[in-house]
């Protein structure tokens, strides 16, 4: 173990190979400093009484990283999380979980922008699939739930109610050729009576 100090800052190497360089108070990281773990992960930023607190960057050994606000050792506030799978989320965190407003780009190129709760889409948001499909509406526990509009890249669209990811309740479905159905849906299928109409061809 080795330690060097100058004023209220120090450089300390722990028996397990971890290294801390930065400000200290009462022998704890306090202020600005960098802690490097022996597995290659590190945190550089602000500390309060030995815990990450304020603004800082954490990089995991896997290659994932978080750059943003911290509170009492947790990702909390506004920040950017970049996964080792090349996913990226920028927005609000509450106690290490995506909560509040944020935008995430998934590894496959899909994008969700809107409200989150406990790492899942919640309330209002827009999901854009890489193939051009798009949903704009309400979410619950990461699924389309409530009112919303789904537009397929093939030209069809559905405006109406959803339940746990499926059309459920009153809604209007319009096909690419202009024909449409308004009625009730249950678990993604037309249910009961409704009204059909079809575009008239000219000529």
């Amino acid at each position: 173990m080795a330690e060097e100090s100058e004023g209220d800052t120090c450089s300390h190497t722990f028996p397990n190979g971890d290294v801390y360089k930065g400000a200290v108070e009462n022998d704890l990281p306090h202020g600005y400093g960098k802690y490097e773990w022996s597995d290659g992960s590190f945190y550089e930023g602000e500390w309060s009484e030995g815990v990450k607190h304020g603004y800082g960057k954490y990089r995991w050994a896997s290659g994932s990283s978080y750059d943003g606000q911290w509170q009492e050792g947790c990702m909390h506030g506004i920040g950017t999380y970049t996964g080792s799978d090349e996913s990226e989320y920028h927005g609000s965190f509450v106690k290490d979980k995506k909560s509040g407003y944020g935008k995430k780009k998934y590894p496959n190129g899909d994008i969700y922008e809107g409200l989150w709760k406990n790492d899942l889409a919640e309330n209002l948001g827009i999901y854009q699939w890489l193939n051009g499909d798009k949903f704009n509406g309400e979410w619950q526990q990461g699924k389309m739930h409530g009112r919303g509009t789904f537009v397929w890249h093939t030209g069809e669209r559905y405006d109406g109610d959803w339940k746990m990811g499926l059309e459920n309740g009153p809604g209007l479905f319009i096909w690419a050729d202009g024909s449409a159905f308004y009625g009730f849906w249950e678990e993604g299928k037309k249910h009961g009576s409704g009204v059909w109409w079809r575009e008239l061809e000219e000529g």
Side-chain angles (χ1 to χ4, degrees):
M1 179 176 67
E3 181 173 351
E4 299 177 2
S5 63
E6 181 178 343
D8 292 327
T9 64
C10 78
S11 175
H12 185 95
T13 302
F14 297 87
N16 64 356
D18 294 355
V19 177
Y20 175 75
K21 296 179 182 179
V24 295
E25 185 175 293
N26 298 324
D27 294 326
L28 293 172
H30 189 85
Y32 190 89
K34 182 178 183 179
Y35 194 107
E36 298 179 76
W37 283 263
S38 57
D39 66 359
S41 58
F42 72 84
Y43 170 80
E44 182 172 7
E46 296 176 299
W47 298 79
S48 178
E49 299 179 346
V51 297
K52 299 180 285 290
H53 190 90
Y55 186 87
K57 180 175 183 178
Y58 191 102
R59 183 177 177 87
W60 284 263
S62 64
S64 299
S65 66
Y66 172 78
D67 192 347
Q69 296 174 312
W70 297 78
Q71 183 174 300
E72 299 178 349
C74 296
M75 297 179 290
H76 191 94
I78 303 301
T80 300
Y81 178 90
T82 304
S84 57
D85 58 2
E86 297 185 353
S87 62
E88 183 177 280
Y89 170 84
H90 177 76
S92 177
F93 288 83
V94 175
K95 295 182 179 180
D96 285 336
K97 295 184 181 293
K98 295 183 286 291
S99 291
Y101 189 85
K103 180 178 181 179
K104 179 174 180 177
K105 181 179 180 182
Y106 293 85
N108 64 358
D110 293 353
I111 295 174
Y112 172 79
E113 183 171 4
L115 296 172
W116 298 76
K117 183 179 180 181
N118 294 327
D119 281 337
L120 296 173
E122 184 80 15
N123 208 326
L124 296 174
I126 300 173
Y127 196 106
Q128 178 81 52
W129 281 261
L130 183 63
N131 69 356
D133 293 351
K134 183 178 182 180
F135 176 80
N136 185 346
E138 296 178 302
W139 298 76
Q140 184 175 305
Q141 298 177 10
K143 295 184 181 294
M144 298 174 287
H145 188 91
R147 295 285 298 178
T149 299
F150 196 113
V151 179
W152 284 263
H153 69 281
T154 50
E156 294 89 1
R157 67 180 287 152
Y158 171 82
D159 297 278
D161 286 3
W162 297 78
K163 183 178 180 181
M164 291 293 105
L166 296 173
E167 300 95 325
N168 201 93
L172 171 67
F173 192 99
I174 304 174
W175 281 263
D177 64 2
S179 57
F181 171 82
Y182 178 80
F184 283 84
W185 304 74
E186 187 173 294
E187 297 182 350
K189 297 179 180 179
K190 293 185 290 293
H191 181 77
S193 61
V195 179
W196 289 85
W197 69 90
R198 186 178 301 275
E199 284 287 305
L200 296 176
E201 297 182 2
E202 297 182 359

